[in-house]
């Protein structure tokens, strides 16, 4: 009998199972997809896979349980020709379904790019001179970081693939971020292998040799450990996973670790009266932007769109029970594709666990204790570590909590004087002021896809007969009819919030059923509207956006923010001012954190939490947690 080909074996492996349409690609499916791309004859010899993930089937097909083929979507980069392609492999039919070039697009920065950028920078004769001028004679003692290029209208910015290289002194140091080689930045063209600009300034700023290591030995003496705090569940967790769907209390949902977006929630619903009522079809972090406020030659370009320029899921770290998550957590591996298109397993990338939720409700002697379910992962995005927790509450609330920690970006300074663009955090070290912005894409389907958005504002009643004692205030509700009307900012003075209401379902009180978004910490951007970074991150122009549902509109700053000149994503889509009432809509929420560094955050940050909540607003007849035991 003739032996089966490798392609046939992989096809059989993929075809034997019938996973749910939203199940992430398996190890075998990633291999099969890559093999289809290679067998097509379209794949360039030195091609790199930037992202390779499930090509999600149509929303309507998923909701109506219509059979759909398993397909894989890939962003492929040809470095020799500096061309980017989007490709789709039909795994069910074992064939190439689509291959198209995306003119002018630059995919995310990968490890291969970092290596090339390092070699180009070091090959310039000015490199060794710059290092020696700062007392560094051994080039092996220097570690480099390649920053995404952004776009600033500089010479060569739109000719080839660009990166910007910054050095750190790494002799005997794991935490090399604490030892910046200040004033050196090399702008390199990865396509031509040439240096575009070599910046060598601030030579008087000393290279720090201060201890900033994070290991127990470097931190000693350590404080005495407190008595053990054990979290146990002798009977196991209360959640159950059936064919990839999580069942916990009355919640139902699916999840995946997407290589670009990180954790994605799917088909979130709440069981009520014997049926599962839909709340959200898909929720994820769409994009990030982290601009730094120092305008100097070695700092002005430092900003990062961590999802679109790096990939939050690809950078997921391994979680440890009892450290990164509680002892009772259940850990799940995730499979992503590397730049060669081969599957790579990130061990224990996602955690799911229950935790104490405090008091659920109380009056007098009657009270109930709450419990939460947390779905969590951590992305190791360079010097920063970002934790993302989707938190399910028993009262029907769904919370997103972002945890910011890691190491701040610091610059060496020659004196201890006040730095207007940073704050002193160590000897001759100032951490630069910066902001973190997160754009969340929330495809809410509250009791179905036909929804609308209402804005709530509260205000005092004017003095007079209607307010004789000065204490009256009222709340006004305003519906949004079009996209431009829905581009809104937070307003502390009016306690502004927004409700996504069903236009077809009502509660027993005759009110539209809905879910409200309750903002937490937030900020406005300090980037000038005319700045290139602000143009590229147009989603910063509003805290809330609302768009009609479109499967093609996924990323708030556009599909390819790397070296983009701006104008893509939300500003481009909403320019049409499409109607958004009584239809399938997507709510986009922009959350910002202004980070003014302090010494207590050096050499590693205590975790800073920020987030928002989605809470039922007329979705239920009464408190849904009344039935807790």
């Amino acid at each position: 009998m003739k032996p089966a080909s490798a392609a046939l074996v992989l096809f059989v492996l993929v075809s034997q199972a019938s996973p749910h349409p939203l199940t992430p690609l398996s190890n075998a499916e990633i291999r099969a997809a890559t093999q289809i791309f290679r067998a097509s004859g379209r794949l360039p010899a030195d091609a790199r896979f930037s992202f390779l993930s499930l090509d999600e089937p149509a929303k309507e097909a998923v909701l109506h349980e219509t059979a759909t083929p398993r397909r894989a979507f890939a962003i492929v980069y040809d470095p020799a020709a500096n061309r980017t392609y989007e490709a789709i492999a039909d795994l069910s039919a074992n064939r190439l379904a689509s291959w198209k070039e995306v003119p002018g697009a630059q995919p995310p920065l990968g490890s291969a790019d970092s290596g090339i950028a390092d070699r180009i920078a070091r090959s310039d004769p000015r490199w060794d001179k710059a290092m020696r001028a700062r007392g560094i004679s051994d080039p092996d003692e220097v570690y480099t970081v390649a920053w995404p290029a952004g776009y600033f209208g500089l010479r060569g910015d739109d000719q080839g693939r660009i990166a910007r290289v910054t050095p750190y002194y790494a002799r005997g140091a794991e935490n090399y971020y604490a030892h910046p080689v200040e004033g050196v930045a090399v702008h390199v063209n990865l396509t031509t292998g040439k240096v575009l600009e070599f910046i060598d300034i601030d030579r008087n700023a000393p290279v720090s040799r201060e201890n900033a290591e994070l290991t127990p030995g470097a931190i000693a003496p350590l404080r005495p450990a407190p008595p053990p705090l054990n979290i146990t569940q002798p009977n196991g967790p209360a959640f159950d996973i059936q064919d990839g769907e999580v069942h916990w209390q009355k919640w139902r949902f699916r999840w995946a670790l997407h290589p670009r977006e990180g954790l994605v929630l799917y088909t979130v619903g709440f069981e009520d009266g014997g049926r599962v009522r839909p709340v959200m079809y898909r929720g994820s972090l769409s994009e990030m932007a982290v601009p730094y406020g120092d305008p100097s030659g070695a700092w002005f370009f430092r900003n990062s769109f961590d999802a679109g320029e790096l990939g939050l899921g690809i950078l997921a770290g391994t979680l440890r029970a009892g450290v990164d998550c509680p002892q009772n957590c259940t850990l799940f591996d995730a499979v992503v594709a590397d730049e060669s298109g081969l599957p790579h397993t990130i061990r224990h990338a996602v955690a799911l666990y229950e935790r104490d939720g405090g008091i659920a409700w109380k009056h007098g002697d009657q009270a109930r204790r709450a419990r939460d379910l947390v779905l969590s992962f951590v992305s190791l995005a360079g010097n920063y570590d970002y934790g993302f927790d989707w938190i399910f509450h028993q009262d029907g609330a769904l919370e997103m909590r972002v945890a910011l920690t890691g190491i701040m970006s610091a610059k060496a300074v020659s004196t201890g004087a006040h730095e207007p663009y940073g704050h002193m955090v160590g000897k001759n070290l100032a951490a630069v002021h910066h902001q973190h912005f997160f754009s969340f894409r929330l495809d809410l389907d509250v009791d179905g896809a036909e929804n609308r958005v209402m804005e709530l504002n509260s205000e005092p009643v004017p003095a007079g007969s209607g307010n004789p004692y000065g204490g009256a205030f009222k709340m006004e509700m305003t519906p949004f009819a079009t996209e431009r009307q829905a581009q809104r900012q937070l307003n502390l003075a009016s306690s502004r919030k927004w409700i996504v209401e069903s236009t077809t379902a009502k509660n027993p009180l005759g009110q539209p059923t809905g879910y409200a978004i309750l903002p937490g910490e937030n900020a406005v951007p300090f980037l000038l509207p005319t700045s290139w970074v602000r143009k590229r991150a147009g989603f910063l122009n509003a805290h809330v956006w609302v768009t009609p549902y479109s499967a093609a509109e996924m990323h708030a700053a556009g599909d390819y923010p790397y070296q983009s000149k701006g104008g893509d994503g939300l500003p481009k889509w909403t320019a049409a001012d499409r109607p958004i009432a009584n239809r399938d809509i997507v709510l986009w929420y922009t959350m910002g954190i202004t980070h003014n560094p302090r010494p207590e955050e050096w050499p590693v940050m205590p975790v800073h939490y920020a987030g928002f909540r989605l809470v039922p607003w007329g979705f239920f007849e009464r408190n849904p947690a009344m039935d807790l035991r």
Side-chain angles (χ1 to χ4, degrees):
M1 180 177 179
K2 184 178 179 180
S5 68
L8 178 59
V9 171
L10 286 174
F11 177 60
V12 170
L13 286 173
V14 171
S15 302
Q16 281 179 344
S18 297
H20 185 274
L22 296 175
T23 300
L25 295 180
S26 66
N27 186 303
E29 287 177 316
I30 290 175
R31 290 183 181 275
T34 301
Q35 190 159 323
I36 290 171
F37 294 138
R38 295 195 184 282
S40 71
R42 300 289 191 92
L43 198 68
D46 297 323
R48 301 203 297 259
F49 289 87
S50 296
F51 291 136
L52 199 166
S53 61
L54 175 72
D55 184 45
E56 294 181 15
K59 178 179 179 179
E60 295 80 8
V62 174
L63 294 178
H64 291 93
E65 299 183 351
T66 303
T68 57
R70 292 285 287 177
R71 308 203 315 175
F73 170 80
I75 295 176
V76 180
Y77 179 61
D78 179 0
N82 188 34
R83 291 182 174 177
T84 300
Y85 302 91
E86 292 180 352
I88 296 176
D90 187 330
L91 300 172
S92 300
N94 194 32
R95 67 179 182 87
L96 182 70
S98 173
W99 182 279
K100 66 176 182 179
E101 183 178 355
V102 188
Q106 290 292 336
L109 186 75
S111 58
D113 292 315
S114 296
I116 296 169
D118 177 85
R119 291 192 293 272
I120 296 172
R122 291 178 189 269
S123 67
D124 192 292
R126 291 171 287 185
W127 179 268
D128 286 342
K129 292 179 181 179
M131 297 303 112
R132 286 197 296 270
R134 292 162 175 80
I136 301 172
S137 58
D138 184 354
D140 291 336
E141 295 178 349
V142 176
Y143 184 87
T144 65
V145 171
W147 280 79
Y151 183 86
F152 297 92
L154 302 176
R155 179 181 62 87
D157 264 7
D158 53 2
Q159 299 173 6
R161 185 162 172 81
I162 314 300
R164 313 198 193 273
V165 179
T166 58
Y168 294 85
Y169 181 67
R171 181 180 181 182
E174 293 183 15
N175 182 11
Y176 51 83
Y177 288 112
H179 311 284
V181 180
E182 194 55 50
V184 177
V186 189
H187 302 183
V188 301
N189 188 316
L190 303 175
T191 305
T192 65
K194 303 293 184 181
V195 171
L196 295 174
E197 184 178 13
F198 196 105
I199 297 171
D200 183 1
I201 56 178
D202 297 335
R203 286 190 171 186
N204 293 329
V207 178
S208 173
R209 264 72 166 182
E210 298 292 314
N211 171 40
E213 296 305 286
L214 310 181
T215 59
I219 302 170
L222 302 177
R223 71 177 71 179
L229 176 63
N230 295 319
I231 303 173
T232 61
Q233 292 184 284
N235 299 324
F239 62 81
D240 183 33
I241 301 178
Q242 301 177 16
D243 188 28
E245 183 180 56
V246 179
H247 295 211
W248 179 77
Q249 293 289 283
K250 296 185 177 182
W251 284 105
R252 305 287 184 270
F253 65 91
R254 296 180 178 275
W255 62 269
L257 186 74
H258 192 277
R260 177 171 180 157
E261 301 164 86
L263 268 181
V264 179
L265 291 184
Y266 297 107
T267 59
V268 179
F270 197 91
E271 184 181 346
D272 181 35
R275 64 187 180 95
V276 177
R277 299 171 62 188
V279 174
M280 182 168 68
Y281 177 74
R282 192 182 193 277
S284 69
L285 175 67
S286 167
E287 190 52 88
M288 285 179 59
V290 187
Y292 284 79
D294 192 317
S296 64
W299 276 86
F300 74 90
F301 56 84
R302 302 197 196 201
N303 67 91
S304 180
F305 290 57
D306 292 86
E309 291 185 329
L310 299 175
L312 290 169
I314 288 176
L315 298 174
T318 294
L319 304 179
R320 297 159 296 171
V323 180
D324 304 296
C325 51
Q327 293 171 322
N328 63 316
C329 66
T330 300
L331 295 168
F332 300 88
D333 297 344
V335 181
V336 297
D338 63 19
E339 289 184 286
S340 65
L342 295 176
H344 167 66
T345 298
I346 304 175
R347 182 166 171 75
H348 294 171
V350 177
L352 183 65
Y353 58 90
E354 295 173 283
R355 70 178 187 188
D356 181 81
I359 297 175
W361 56 265
K362 177 178 175 62
H363 181 68
D365 292 337
Q366 291 297 319
R368 298 293 186 275
R369 193 75 182 171
R371 186 178 294 189
D372 300 334
L373 181 70
V374 183
L375 182 71
S376 177
F377 98 108
V378 176
S379 184
L380 312 180
N383 55 299
Y384 261 97
D385 296 51
Y386 296 100
F388 296 91
D389 296 343
W390 286 105
I391 305 171
F392 296 82
H393 297 274
Q394 290 169 306
D395 63 358
L398 175 58
E399 181 180 358
M400 161 48 63
R401 187 180 71 167
V402 179
L404 296 86
T405 182
I407 302 165
M408 296 181 293
S409 284
K411 67 180 297 185
V413 292
S414 56
T415 69
H418 172 69
E419 284 280 317
Y421 305 113
H423 191 76
M424 296 296 296
V425 296
K427 183 179 179 181
N428 295 116
L429 284 174
V432 175
H433 301 301
H434 57 284
Q435 294 184 289
H436 302 261
F437 290 100
F438 305 81
S439 174
F440 292 91
R441 181 184 184 274
L442 306 170
D443 180 7
L444 292 164
D445 283 0
V446 180
D447 269 332
E450 294 184 29
N451 290 169
R452 68 174 181 174
V453 178
M454 305 288 289
E455 180 175 281
L456 277 62
N457 288 283
S458 298
E459 61 179 16
V461 175
S465 59
N467 188 12
Y469 305 106
F473 69 95
K474 61 182 180 179
M475 185 267 286
E476 299 285 350
M477 298 180 66
T478 306
F480 294 143
T482 68
E483 291 177 292
R484 289 181 185 171
Q485 291 179 354
Q487 294 175 23
R488 304 295 289 166
Q489 304 287 356
L490 295 180
N491 187 343
L492 183 63
S494 68
S495 188
R496 183 170 292 165
K497 54 184 69 75
W498 298 270
I499 305 175
V500 177
E501 288 185 343
S502 171
T503 57
T504 59
K506 295 184 182 297
N507 64 23
L509 301 176
Q511 305 162 335
T513 61
Y515 258 76
I517 183 166
L518 304 185
E521 177 182 357
N522 216 316
V524 296
F526 297 123
L527 292 161
L528 295 179
T530 55
S531 72
W532 282 109
V533 178
R534 182 72 174 269
K535 292 177 182 178
R536 296 172 60 228
F539 63 87
L540 300 183
N541 296 338
H543 289 117
V544 164
W545 306 70
V546 182
T547 60
Y549 171 80
S550 171
E553 298 175 1
M554 298 296 297
H555 309 118
D559 294 339
Y560 296 94
Y562 199 105
Q563 289 180 240
S564 164
K565 295 181 182 179
D568 295 331
L570 282 167
K572 181 178 180 179
W573 306 328
T574 57
D577 201 24
R578 297 167 292 186
I580 56 172
N582 192 26
R583 62 192 59 223
D584 194 356
I585 56 177
V586 176
L587 186 144
W588 307 72
Y589 178 65
T590 304
M591 180 179 75
I593 294 97
T594 299
H595 191 172
N596 301 117
R598 54 194 174 94
E600 290 85 355
E601 296 175 312
W602 190 257
V604 64
M605 286 175 55
V607 171
H608 178 89
Y609 293 107
F612 63 91
R613 289 165 60 90
L614 295 168
V615 301
W617 196 283
F619 193 76
F620 302 105
E621 180 181 6
R622 62 176 188 165
N623 181 354
M626 289 290 293
D627 60 354
L628 295 181
R629 293 184 183 274

